[in-house]
Amino acid sequence: MNKTLPQHARVVIIGGGIHGCSVAYHLAQEGWRDIVLLERKQLTCGTTWHAAGLVGRLQGGHATTAFAQYGSDLFPQLERETGQATGYQCPGSISIATNFERLAELKRQADFALLHGEQARYMEVDEIIQMWPMINPDGVKGGIFVAGNGYINPIDLTMALAKGARQNGVQIFEQTAVQQVLVEQGKVTGVTTSKGTIKADFVVNCGGMWARELGKQNGIGVPLHACEHYYLVTDQIPDLPKHLPVLRAYDDCTYFKADAGKLLFGFAHNKVKPWGTKGIPEEFCFDSLPFVDEDVMDVLEMALNRVPLLQETGIRTYFNGPESYSYDGRFCLGEAPQVQGYFILAGVNSTGIQSGAGAGRALAQWIVKGYPPLDLNDMDPARIEEFQARDLYLQQRAPETETHTYAMHWPNVQRNSVRPLRKTPFYHLFKERGACFGEVQGWERPAWFAPAGVEPVTEYSFGRQNWFDYAQTEQRAARQGVGLLDYSMLGKLLVEGADAEAFLQRICSQNMAMSNSQVTYTLLLNARGGVESDVTVARFADDQYMLMSSMARTRRDHLHLQKYMQANEDVRLRDVTTAYGVVSLVGPHSRELLSRVSDADFSNQAFPFQTWQSFYLGHAPVWAQRLSFTGELGWEIFVTPDFAEHVMEQLLQYGKDLNLQLIGSEALNALRIEKGFLHWGHDMSYTEAPHQLGLSFLCNKSQDFIGKQAAAERRQTALGPYLCSVKLLDPQPLLYHNEPILQDGKPIGFITSGAWGASLSSAVGLAMVDLPPKQTDLDKTTFEVLVEGVAYAAQLSWQPFV
């Protein structure tokens, strides 16, 4: 029976795969009605239908793990609720390592599992053989068993979600292609389809590999691209063990799972092709792509070696299908920038089945509540720069994401495609002096500097990487001598107009009615009292300020300010990030060096902390603010690109006898952690209130600003967790991120940022912990940090160690 499209819906969901059906189901579970889901062909016909169906409860991040855990818990309930079987099986999974670095990574995964209450344990080779008798154990060093993992039938799961949605009033229309999302004055108003127009309050783009083109129509960047992805299914295998765990052989780029008496085995490829580079065919529906032997021969040979039974077993299915991958390996989940009511859930990098239920629920809750239900900042559609959503970029970067699926997940691992792209005015000077660059938002930023005769290439490890000693030298220069860093890529946003002060007073937690030579550090809070961002603000004139952001926050801070601009205010925003090169000069000898290259007075009396001044450095007109993210004496010097090289040459020449040291981001990270300086996105996000971070002192009591009352109420409730500093007592282990903190053997928190501090001669970190904020005897309590399965004694402190 043909159904007629309604003229209006509260929410229109585009796409009938796992994500669209999950959003529909969960909106209905939240009690919302008038929900419509539109599918261009048939439910599951894009990517969902051919997914391998692996279900892993343990993922790489806190949010994605929460998604996967929720989904696994939902599956049995969903079957009972709808009567639709999902094929869910939970035999556990084994991940093996064929080298000790991979084993270290797996042990860190098991450590992370403890934070989320998952059972993950180390396995010796004999036990692996016992549980997976078909394996060839050659080269295997050990493995990890996760009891809660398994697999499911993707089509059946999606149909169960769709049925559950229908049971709660959701209308689903197949064979209904969305032609355009309608937007008026920056707000969604509906969609036009092949069967008519629907007015809507919200639209959700769950278009899968079509999501990018759909977003492009409204100027919305969805940073994903379809890539080819292969798997094979064998003929029936006699006596295949029942309840066989999923096997992941990461170093062989291969996974294996039982499939109704057969084995399905697939690959995380070393060679990946983007697909649909000239557009996806209109007729695409339950289609597969040509199987090209050469594309998988290397990983296929590894699979045949790891499971020799495959060498004498026929292959029933050779499959190649498109999967969507994002440019950075992260989801695109949330409200689109600059289009109110337009939400996106796409680009999940072959984890859609295990994450779909949880991700759809999170997006539904976001729509209902008006804000994210948990920290989803690294999935924010606004995180991208515009060029990162273009086909030319994605067709090179998205395939690299697929190659990273089973590659080593090294600390600070870098992507190699589409580089170098964005270069600061100092790039070539630093390259000549041994810079090894890392990339952030397309910017090339020195990570560390190699001495003469050493190639500036990182040799990755979970232990001390090849730059370790060089970074210690850089750290010591900042603490004891003079160091120089490139800050050019930090965001710079001019806020101008007669109402600039009043506007910023409403946005910022610190007093913006400051003198025209003052600089201050301030928070930007959201309406819930969470920290939306932390920025530095300099006042240039009565009607002009500059707001400086971290690289990852530049666009989002711009959008945040735009959101709160009022129609009757004389306020203008202008991004001038690329108008200046910025040098950070730090260390006890930085004042002496500046005095050598300028006739300005840099004494404490003439140039106080948190002020700025204009002067000449050599022949170059510059301005500088007295600040330092290292916690040492320092200035941040702003210079136009035409004079940038001259400024750098002057500093390098006159700093020689002061042992001027170029400093990269690896050393800077350690320096700021030692001092307890926070990094947004690691140590804080929009879910934390200032009191949890020790930043309540930044909330000015004498002014009203967005989030002030909510932050005060949250402080009154004294709900944690709380940020603290952590130091290991053993100098050998290293901290990176997410290592569990234990008290009496039980997890109470985790490391948010970690490094090895030269001043402390030990690993140091910042951490979120569930401890009473008034507990003052932390030094009398025994704590431990779990690193690769070993609990190391640690000291916790509410104050930084340096």
Side-chain angles (χ1 to χ4, degrees):
M1 182 179 73
N2 291 327
K3 296 187 295 183
T4 302
L5 287 181
Q7 293 184 335
H8 179 272
R10 194 172 190 182
V11 183
V12 170
I13 302 162
I14 304 169
I18 180 70
H19 292 116
C21 291
S22 177
V23 172
Y25 172 84
H26 286 98
L27 281 171
Q29 289 293 310
E30 292 286 336
W32 277 33
R33 299 296 179 255
D34 299 325
I35 311 299
V36 171
L37 185 149
L38 305 175
E39 164 54 47
R40 58 181 287 276
K41 297 289 186 181
Q42 295 174 246
L43 297 184
T44 79
C45 74
T47 295
T48 296
W49 73 275
H50 64 70
L54 300 184
V55 174
R57 288 176 64 87
L58 187 64
Q59 301 298 302
H62 296 281
T64 50
T65 295
F67 293 168
Q69 288 181 317
Y70 168 77
S72 296
D73 293 339
L74 176 68
F75 300 151
Q77 172 193 325
L78 193 62
E79 288 194 12
R80 294 190 297 269
E81 176 187 331
T82 64
Q84 167 70 56
T86 64
Y88 178 50
Q89 300 289 325
C90 184
S93 72
I94 301 170
S95 299
I96 62 170
T98 60
N99 60 73
F100 290 109
E101 288 283 11
R102 176 71 74 178
L103 196 58
E105 180 184 0
L106 293 181
K107 288 179 177 179
R108 284 176 175 267
Q109 288 180 9
D111 295 345
F112 182 68
L114 188 65
L115 293 173
H116 293 273
E118 288 300 319
Q119 297 181 31
R121 60 178 177 81
Y122 174 73
M123 301 178 73
E124 298 286 356
V125 177
D126 289 346
E127 187 182 4
I128 295 172
I129 297 171
Q130 183 180 355
M131 293 187 70
W132 228 92
M134 296 170 294
I135 193 172
N136 171 8
D138 287 355
V140 177
K141 307 299 182 186
I144 296 294
F145 179 71
V146 181
N149 290 352
Y151 48 86
I152 200 167
N153 185 304
I155 294 179
D156 290 345
L157 169 60
T158 305
M159 292 304 183
L161 288 166
K163 186 174 182 180
R166 286 191 180 103
Q167 288 175 344
N168 285 286
V170 174
Q171 297 186 72
I172 297 178
F173 295 86
E174 296 179 286
Q175 304 298 332
T176 307
V178 172
Q179 297 166 334
Q180 187 177 3
V181 176
L182 303 175
V183 176
E184 293 179 9
Q185 297 181 338
K187 188 180 187 306
V188 158
T189 60
V191 298
T192 58
T193 80
S194 57
K195 296 182 179 178
T197 297
I198 307 177
K199 295 294 184 181
D201 302 320
F202 299 91
V203 171
V204 185
N205 180 351
C206 292
M209 55 188 170
W210 290 270
R212 185 181 83 262
E213 286 297 325
L214 187 63
K216 192 184 299 183
Q217 293 181 3
N218 298 103
I220 297 167
V222 184
L224 62 84
H225 202 287
C227 297
E228 297 185 8
H229 186 72
Y230 290 76
Y231 64 72
L232 293 83
V233 182
T234 69
D235 289 332
Q236 288 285 330
I237 298 175
D239 303 320
L240 188 69
K242 294 182 178 180
H243 306 296
L244 190 69
V246 173
L247 176 67
R248 290 179 174 88
Y250 290 112
D251 300 318
D252 301 326
C253 302
T254 312
Y255 62 85
F256 305 83
K257 74 154 190 168
D259 185 18
K262 306 177 287 292
L263 271 182
L264 181 153
F265 61 106
F267 314 108
H269 311 287
N270 296 315
K271 296 176 287 186
V272 177
K273 295 177 182 175
W275 182 76
T277 56
K278 297 181 180 179
I280 301 170
E282 172 60 30
E283 65 277 8
F284 190 93
C285 179
F286 294 113
D287 291 338
S288 61
L289 310 178
F291 195 99
V292 181
D293 292 347
E294 301 86 69
D295 289 348
V296 295
M297 193 54 65
D298 58 337
V299 288
L300 179 57
E301 288 177 356
M302 288 190 284
L304 297 177
N305 177 65
R306 186 58 58 202
V307 183
L309 176 67
L310 299 176
Q311 300 174 25
E312 52 193 62
T313 303
I315 301 298
R316 176 172 297 188
T317 304
Y318 292 83
F319 189 82
N320 178 14
E323 296 265 4
S324 294
Y325 291 87
S326 67
Y327 79 100
D328 59 357
R330 298 169 181 168
F331 293 16
C332 188
L333 189 163
E335 189 169 18
Q338 297 176 297
V339 182
Q340 186 180 350
Y342 190 124
F343 285 80
I344 305 166
L345 173 51
V348 297
N349 312 294
S350 287
T351 66
I353 302 306
Q354 60 195 3
S355 301
R361 179 190 185 220
L363 191 69
Q365 291 176 336
W366 190 334
I367 293 171
V368 171
K369 295 179 179 180
Y371 57 87
L374 70 167
D375 182 3
L376 302 174
N377 88 83
D378 63 356
M379 306 179 190
D380 189 347
R383 74 185 185 275
I384 69 166
E385 303 288 341
E386 291 184 5
F387 71 87
Q388 292 171 319
R390 295 183 66 246
D391 291 356
L392 183 64
Y393 182 86
L394 290 166
Q395 287 167 13
Q396 297 180 62
R397 184 54 74 91
E400 188 180 10
T401 292
E402 185 173 348
T403 67
H404 277 242
T405 305
Y406 275 15
M408 290 291 298
H409 298 92
W410 301 114
N412 306 323
V413 67
Q414 289 288 315
R415 302 295 175 94
N416 296 313
S417 57
V418 208
R419 293 184 61 187
L421 197 57
R422 305 175 81 183
K423 304 171 186 176
T424 78
F426 309 114
Y427 172 84
H428 293 289
L429 279 170
F430 286 157
K431 187 176 181 181
E432 292 172 1
R433 286 161 176 79
C436 179
F437 291 94
E439 182 247 352
V440 182
Q441 297 296 95
W443 285 105
E444 296 293 329
R445 182 186 190 188
W448 54 276
F449 287 87
V454 175
E455 187 178 8
V457 176
T458 296
E459 297 172 7
Y460 291 114
S461 171
F462 281 97
R464 285 159 168 71
Q465 297 183 4
N466 61 318
W467 49 261
F468 183 85
D469 290 339
Y470 312 141
Q472 307 316 302
T473 300
E474 295 173 24
Q475 288 186 51
R476 284 189 286 271
R479 294 278 188 248
Q480 302 167 12
V482 59
L484 186 154
L485 304 96
D486 188 357
Y487 274 15
S488 305
M489 64 292 295
L490 299 184
K492 310 168 194 68
L493 183 65
L494 283 181
V495 183
E496 301 171 300
D499 296 319
E501 179 183 303
F503 171 69
L504 288 178
Q505 287 284 59
R506 195 171 70 250
I507 302 295
C508 299
S509 67
Q510 286 275 62
N511 183 16
M512 294 293 108
M514 51 191 183
S515 70
N516 291 348
S517 62
Q518 195 170 342
V519 182
T520 192
Y521 173 60
T522 184
L523 305 178
L524 311 181
L525 302 188
N526 54 44
R528 302 174 305 283
V531 179
E532 199 68 32
S533 188
D534 66 323
V535 297
T536 300
V537 180
R539 187 169 193 172
F540 295 155
D542 290 349
D543 60 353
Q544 187 181 60
Y545 295 78
M546 180 183 281
L547 183 148
M548 286 151 278
S549 307
S550 67
M551 285 171 281
R553 286 297 314 178
T554 301
R555 185 186 186 197
R556 287 184 273 192
D557 286 346
H558 196 162
L559 292 169
H560 181 77
L561 266 61
Q562 280 185 329
K563 176 181 176 181
Y564 289 104
M565 290 174 63
Q566 298 176 356
N568 60 347
E569 284 184 309
D570 178 16
V571 177
R572 299 174 301 281
L573 305 179
R574 188 155 50 102
D575 189 341
V576 294
T577 299
T578 57
Y580 297 96
V582 184
V583 174
S584 175
L585 198 66
V586 300
H589 294 159
S590 56
R591 178 179 280 123
E592 181 179 350
L593 176 53
L594 280 176
S595 298
R596 292 181 179 186
V597 295
S598 175
D599 56 7
D601 186 349
F602 296 99
S603 68
N604 198 52
Q605 294 76 21
F607 206 142
F609 180 60
Q610 289 194 327
T611 64
W612 72 269
Q613 292 184 29
S614 296
F615 54 90
Y616 275 86
L617 195 160
H619 301 287
V622 303
W623 69 273
Q625 53 191 14
R626 192 177 148 197
L627 291 171
S628 167
F629 198 40
T630 66
E632 302 297 331
L633 177 69
W635 281 263
E636 294 173 0
I637 304 165
F638 292 68
V639 58
T640 53
D642 53 331
F643 278 106
E645 287 194 13
H646 171 67
V647 164
M648 184 62 63
E649 288 163 352
Q650 290 284 295
L651 293 171
L652 291 171
Q653 177 183 345
Y654 287 95
K656 284 181 181 178
D657 65 329
L658 296 174
N659 295 317
L660 172 68
Q661 176 71 50
L662 301 179
I663 295 176
S665 59
E666 295 290 359
L668 177 62
N669 190 48
L671 291 163
R672 65 98 184 168
I673 292 173
E674 284 187 333
K675 286 283 187 175
F677 290 172
L678 282 58
H679 187 276
W680 200 96
H682 286 94
D683 312 305
M684 58 177 162
S685 185
Y686 47 62
T687 51
E688 286 84 38
H691 78 276
Q692 296 174 258
L693 308 167
L695 297 179
S696 292
F697 70 95
L698 293 175
C699 295
N700 192 318
K701 295 180 180 180
S702 62
Q703 74 186 69
D704 284 330
F705 54 87
I706 292 164
K708 178 182 180 179
Q709 185 61 34
E713 291 172 359
R714 290 176 67 173
R715 186 179 185 184
Q716 282 293 110
T717 63
L719 290 178
Y722 290 87
L723 193 82
C724 70
S725 290
V726 181
K727 180 177 69 173
L728 295 187
L729 304 187
D730 186 325
Q732 288 307 308
L734 300 179
L735 298 177
Y736 294 111
H737 182 58
N738 280 337
E739 294 88 350
I741 298 174
L742 310 178
Q743 184 179 24
D744 299 325
K746 297 179 181 179
I748 59 165
F750 60 93
I751 300 294
T752 57
S753 296
W756 202 90
S759 298
L760 300 170
S761 296
S762 69
V764 62
L766 297 172
M768 294 300 292
V769 293
D770 285 306
L771 289 173
K774 295 181 181 179
Q775 182 176 339
T776 57
D777 58 346
L778 293 184
D779 57 335
K780 299 177 183 177
T781 306
T782 301
F783 298 97
E784 295 173 312
V785 177
L786 199 59
V787 181
E788 296 173 20
V790 179
Y792 292 94
Q795 180 181 350
L796 270 60
S797 172
W798 296 122
Q799 302 299 322
F801 291 107
V802 175

